[in-house]
Amino acid sequence: MKFLVCISNVPDTTTKITFTPDNKEFNKAGVQFVINPWDEYALTRAIELKEAQGGGTVTVLNVGEADTEPNIRKALAIGADDAIRVNAHPKDAFFVAQQIASIAKDGGYDVILMGKESIDYNGFQVHGMVGELLGIPTVAPAMKLDMSGNTATLEREIEGGKEIVEVATPFVASCQQPMCEPRIPNMRGIMTARTKPLKVVEPTGDAPRTQVTEYQLPPKKQGVKLIPAESAGDLIKLLRNEAKVI
Amino acid sequence: MSVLVVVECDKGEVKKSSLEVASYGSQVAQLLGTTATAVAVGEASEASLTQLGEQGISKVLYDAEPRLKDFVNGAYTKLIATAAQKEESTVIVLANSNIGAAVGSRLAVRLQASLATNVVELPKNDGGQFTVKRGAFSGKAFAEVVLGGDRKIIAVKKNSIEAQHEAGKTATVEAFSAQLADTDFADAPKQVVMQDQAGGILLPEADRVVSGGRGMKGPENWNLIEDLAKALGAATACSKPVSDVDWRPHHEHVGQTGITVSPNLYIACGISGAIQHLAGVNSSKVIVVINKDPEAPFFKAADYGIVGDVFDVLPKLTQAVKELN
Ligand SMILES: Cc1cc2nc3c(=O)[nH]c(=O)nc-3n(C[C@H](O)[C@H](O)[C@H](O)COP(=O)(O)OP(=O)(O)OC[C@H]3O[C@@H](n4cnc5c(N)ncnc54)[C@H](O)[C@@H]3O)c2cc1C
Ligand SMILES: Cc1cc2nc3c(=O)[nH]c(=O)nc-3n(C[C@H](O)[C@H](O)[C@H](O)COP(=O)(O)OP(=O)(O)OC[C@H]3O[C@@H](n4cnc5c(N)ncnc54)[C@H](O)[C@@H]3O)c2cc1C
């Protein structure tokens, strides 16, 4: 079975977010980029399923410029077999989805996995767009994924519960915990990753439909008002009379 | 050419986030000089749909197909696309929920629309071109986004728009069929498992949240969290390590890799305030932190704080709430 795992290159979760002085771009200076944490679930689960099936391939795909290659290599070190990079700045979700759909179609992938959402842009939308572009089901967000032959059983999180869903390949799923325990690269993986194929292709498709014109930081908090532990009950009065939230 | 609003229902009631979406949609309709029509999904009752008039909705389309009671991505997408065609809607508004995002992203492709998720304000309309403000970088920033093209889809972040209530106004409910076929139900659930909600309050929809971290020491102490939550009418939540070791279920885990909440009140008990935790809660209107360590980073993000032992402070707070009521 052929798995395609889409990974996004995002600022590390501890990054202090700042923007260029004109507020038009994210300030990348000094920022460490990582594989989007949710995409690690997709990647590890694909590798586990491939291993369980005793055959098949896991291909990682990123839409990004050359600076994303260290994280693509990391995905190869974790256990993907090969990689494709679409050589373009990921302009918006629709643009990214078109690249993924085009590669998924040409490569005849059976299972297309991605993360629930990117932690930088928080779009939560690439999976649905890819599914629709390919005319196949999307299960988003999935907490569990098992395969038996060409049928997948998934747990889809809905507000307040979950749905057990069965779909046949090909399908798209966006992954989140507790699907698996994400793997980290070991020494052997890191060594073999260097020689695994990484193909660079040029983008296709239509123009993006959205454009960011400005970024803003949230307003600063006023500072904390401390209440002595002995008179903890006063907090409740403040929440009613001052903050008016209870 | 009305604005189409997608309204999620559960057990006969319209979800709170969908009341917000309905208000948002009717305000966009005013901006464009048109009306707002809702299309209802899930288990709806006629009475609750009629009441959407209070949020400025004039008409509600409802397809009584029984299989639409549960979420089915394929069928919901077709239902809403059909409603949008019937109403000739160029703007569709839905909740930034698991359902809203799953359906909105498919609709964007099917209807060739531009899509913005996680939107926190009404759009600025510049001759038909919309600019919206949306949350980005996991609560650490906002982005202004221009939506191009003739059709636009907006997914509204929970608790960022106040639901309006014009008492007495009603909407007409119209039976509607999207002629759904079996193939539209390819991803229909085989089974639906709902969680036991503490006090029946759904965390993603909650106005108030009481949350516990590793400082609570163990699952046997969660009655302190639950008691305060119950007294306040709040939902309960937890930090990631707490759900990782199964003190609490995964669906209560908030933060960068859990769910994002934006209640009016978030009370953090024995949580240090790691940046990944803050990412999921920092758009809460009022944050209260209870921690025995005065240097805990969470105090920097808090509005009110108590430096103290949760085992001493929590019962006092619960008592004070009870005295208030
Ligand atoms: C500095 C910066 C500037 C940006 N400027 C703009 C802008 O002007 N306009 C705009 O619309 N967007 C902009 N983006 C967002 C960026 O283009 C996103 O990668 C794209 O929109 C998809 O992210 P999402 O959050 O919508 O994806 P989501 O739907 O949240 O992602 C779901 C999953 O899709 C997969 N995925 C997402 N992105 C990629 C990718 N690039 N390659 C492979 N798989 C992927 C991952 O598996 C991810 O978990 C910017 C981002 C950054 C960091
Ligand atoms: C990629 C990544 C993603 C992550 N995503 C998330 C996420 O989504 N959500 C999340 O929560 N975390 C996340 N984390 C983990 C995060 O970094 C922190 O480790 C975690 O939030 C700490 O949880 P905690 O505050 O409960 O525990 P601790 O950091 O151990 O803090 C416990 C606190 O309790 C206080 N305390 C102890 N005893 C008492 C007492 N008796 N009374 C009062 N206070 C007391 C202590 O002073 C301390 O401040 C992520 C980490 C990574 C690397």
Side-chain angles (χ1 to χ4, degrees):
Chain A
M1 194 161 277
K2 291 181 74 177
F3 293 89
L4 182 65
V5 178
C6 308
I7 61 167
S8 173
N9 193 58
V10 299
D12 178 83
T13 55
T14 56
T15 308
K16 186 171 187 313
I17 302 298
T18 60
F19 301 103
T20 52
D22 61 1
N23 283 325
K24 292 213 182 303
E25 271 177 68
F26 173 61
N27 185 3
K28 284 188 182 180
V31 171
Q32 162 104 30
F33 281 80
V34 295
I35 299 175
N36 187 42
W38 273 304
D39 305 356
E40 294 186 1
Y41 291 93
L43 176 60
T44 298
R45 192 63 191 136
I47 297 166
E48 287 173 356
L49 289 168
K50 182 195 101 167
E51 287 169 355
Q53 290 169 1
T57 54
V58 175
T59 303
V60 281
L61 167 61
N62 169 258
V63 181
E65 286 161 335
D67 58 355
T68 68
E69 290 199 3
N71 281 326
I72 299 179
R73 288 280 172 212
K74 186 178 170 201
L76 292 170
I78 290 171
D81 299 291
D82 62 344
I84 302 170
R85 179 171 68 81
V86 178
N87 185 30
H89 175 70
K91 296 184 199 80
D92 81 345
F94 177 61
F95 175 82
V96 170
Q98 289 182 101
Q99 312 311 319
I100 298 173
S102 149
I103 282 170
K105 197 170 179 183
D106 294 347
Y109 291 92
D110 304 294
V111 178
I112 302 155
L113 298 183
M114 46 187 95
K116 175 194 174 192
E117 85 181 43
S118 71
I119 64 164
D120 54 0
Y121 205 63
N122 308 115
F124 194 6
Q125 52 184 269
V126 170
H127 27 76
M129 290 179 170
V130 172
E132 186 71 20
L133 284 165
L134 295 171
I136 60 178
T138 305
V139 179
M143 302 190 289
K144 205 171 168 201
L145 163 61
D146 289 311
M147 302 275 319
S148 158
N150 289 330
T151 307
T153 306
L154 300 107
E155 283 184 12
R156 167 163 63 200
E157 182 172 55
I158 50 171
E159 273 83 2
K162 61 188 177 190
E163 292 185 346
I164 319 291
V165 179
E166 250 176 48
V167 290
T169 57
F171 65 92
V172 179
S174 77
C175 307
Q176 67 170 34
Q177 61 183 7
M179 182 171 281
C180 58
E181 190 56 49
R183 291 188 188 176
I184 51 171
N186 58 24
M187 208 51 210
R188 208 181 92 81
I190 295 168
M191 300 301 288
T192 54
R194 289 190 198 147
T195 53
K196 285 181 178 170
L198 193 171
K199 194 165 81 182
V200 179
V201 301
E202 292 306 314
T204 60
D206 299 338
R209 290 179 180 157
T210 63
Q211 201 202 339
V212 175
T213 50
E214 192 191 303
Y215 289 101
Q216 296 157 11
L217 292 172
K220 280 231 159 31
K221 284 267 178 193
Q222 298 275 321
V224 59
K225 190 179 231 177
L226 289 177
I227 295 102
E230 305 78 67
S231 45
D234 290 352
L235 170 68
I236 300 301
K237 292 188 196 116
L238 286 168
L239 291 178
R240 167 153 298 180
N241 302 323
E242 190 177 83
K244 299 191 166 53
V245 288
I246 60 174
Chain B
M1 208 226 73
S2 63
V3 170
L4 188 68
V5 171
V6 180
V7 167
E8 295 175 27
C9 302
D10 186 29
K11 298 188 197 77
E13 298 291 326
V14 177
K15 289 186 187 170
K16 175 178 170 269
S17 51
S18 285
L19 296 177
E20 295 164 6
V21 165
S23 296
Y24 187 102
S26 57
Q27 289 175 68
V28 174
Q30 268 173 19
L31 210 66
L32 300 176
T34 179
T35 54
T37 300
V39 54
V41 294
E43 194 181 345
S45 71
E46 172 126 13
S48 65
L49 296 182
T50 307
Q51 246 185 355
L52 282 166
E54 295 188 3
Q55 282 76 46
I57 300 292
S58 41
K59 183 169 78 179
V60 185
L61 304 175
Y62 184 53
D63 187 331
E65 155 71 54
R67 286 179 291 178
L68 287 170
K69 192 165 87 55
D70 297 321
F71 173 51
V72 185
N73 205 344
Y76 278 31
T77 305
K78 184 160 165 198
L79 175 80
I80 296 158
T82 311
Q85 266 145 18
K86 173 174 145 51
E87 295 296 311
E88 294 171 17
S89 302
T90 53
V91 180
I92 302 177
V93 186
L94 23 74
N96 196 56
S97 59
N98 285 351
I99 293 175
V103 173
S105 52
R106 291 195 83 104
L107 282 174
V109 171
R110 195 168 302 184
L111 303 176
Q112 294 180 312
S114 55
L115 166 66
T117 54
N118 217 16
V119 171
V120 296
E121 278 178 7
L122 284 168
K124 291 185 248 329
N125 180 15
D126 184 10
Q129 189 183 66
F130 278 11
T131 306
V132 292
K133 183 174 173 177
R134 66 183 297 277
F137 294 96
S138 300
K140 296 179 201 167
F142 295 100
E144 295 272 348
V145 181
V146 174
L147 293 181
D150 296 335
R151 296 206 183 97
K152 301 163 187 83
I153 304 178
I154 298 175
V156 183
K157 183 175 174 177
K158 288 166 192 171
N159 213 22
S160 47
I161 301 291
E162 185 126 13
Q164 60 198 43
H165 288 279
E166 274 189 69
K169 277 186 80 182
T170 54
T172 51
V173 180
E174 197 177 293
F176 159 76
S177 170
Q179 312 285 345
L180 296 172
D182 282 351
T183 47
D184 300 316
F185 290 89
D187 68 305
K190 299 275 172 265
Q191 194 191 345
V192 181
V193 185
M194 297 311 282
Q195 301 141 9
D196 281 339
Q197 301 303 329
I201 297 160
L202 218 59
L203 177 58
E205 300 264 317
D207 270 338
R208 298 165 199 151
V209 175
V210 183
S211 187
R214 214 143 50 177
M216 291 303 299
K217 304 284 192 281
E220 65 281 7
N221 300 321
W222 239 262
N223 62 315
L224 296 176
I225 300 274
E226 282 164 352
D227 289 348
L228 179 60
K230 196 163 167 231
L232 284 169
T236 55
C238 68
S239 67
K240 179 171 186 287
V242 163
S243 66
D244 283 348
V245 296
D246 284 335
W247 289 1
R248 299 297 291 176
H250 149 74
H251 65 255
E252 284 200 359
H253 151 202
V254 294
Q256 188 136 32
T257 50
I259 61 168
T260 304
V261 294
S262 46
N264 292 330
L265 175 63
Y266 183 80
I267 304 185
C269 312
I271 304 177
S272 57
I275 192 161
Q276 298 94 350
H277 185 85
L278 295 180
V281 305
N282 58 9
S283 53
S284 308
K285 300 225 163 69
V286 172
I287 294 181
V288 174
V289 170
I290 305 160
N291 196 303
K292 68 175 183 189
D293 175 8
E295 300 299 321
F298 220 145
F299 284 117
K300 289 203 180 66
D303 299 285
Y304 297 95
I306 297 180
V307 179
D309 189 326
V310 283
F311 299 100
D312 162 49
V313 171
L314 281 173
K316 283 190 189 154
L317 294 182
T318 306
Q319 189 55 33
V321 176
K322 285 184 179 153
E323 282 163 16
L324 206 61
N325 295 332

